[in-house]
Amino acid sequence: MEPKVSVCLRTYNQVDFVSDAIESVLNQTTSFGFELVVGDDGSSDGTLDRIARYRRQYPAIIRLLPSETRLGGRRNLVRSIAACRGDYIAMLDGDDFWTSDQKLQLQSDLLDAFPEISACG
């Protein structure tokens, strides 16, 4: 089943923060399927290993896009967004997290109800 929402998470050397970001996505309560697309930009501090552990636990939700070389923020963002399959894309950086477990549901409901809206935050 294709996800309704893709969460695009970009990381680079954020081992101290990335677990909070990932868990804030995994804790979402939705009536639809979603995926977490993690674009790692060649981290060298253990970030990639941390993400891979979550990937092994949640293979149906998490898709990991590793990079052996540093792409830079913009190129990493472009490739990460291109890998998203959902009708909607929610953005999250690896050093941030969501405080509401309803975020994806509320924003999806809003965008569904008002198709003339192209973005919300």
Side-chain angles (χ1 to χ4, degrees), residues 25-83:
V25 174
L26 295 173
N27 288 332
Q28 292 296 301
T29 302
T30 65
S31 62
F32 51 80
F34 62 89
E35 68 177 350
L36 173 58
V37 177
V38 184
D40 183 71
D41 196 10
S43 292
S44 60
D45 67 345
T47 299
L48 190 58
D49 292 335
R50 178 85 42 98
I51 299 164
R53 275 188 260 144
Y54 279 99
R55 167 76 177 96
R56 286 190 295 276
Q57 283 184 279
Y58 302 94
I61 297 173
I62 299 175
R63 292 192 309 129
L64 175 57
L65 307 174
S67 179
E68 292 182 17
T69 61
R70 183 94 161 87
L71 300 171
R74 186 168 62 194
R75 286 179 55 206
N76 188 36
L77 174 63
V78 168
R79 78 173 177 129
S80 298
I81 288 174

Side-chain angles (χ1 to χ4, degrees), residues 77-93:
L77 174 63
V78 168
R79 78 173 177 129
S80 298
I81 288 174
C84 291
R85 300 176 298 179
D87 296 330
Y88 302 127
I89 298 174
M91 303 301 298
L92 181 62
D93 287 325

Side-chain angles (χ1 to χ4, degrees), residues 19 23 109:
S19 290
E23 289 179 23
D109 289 348

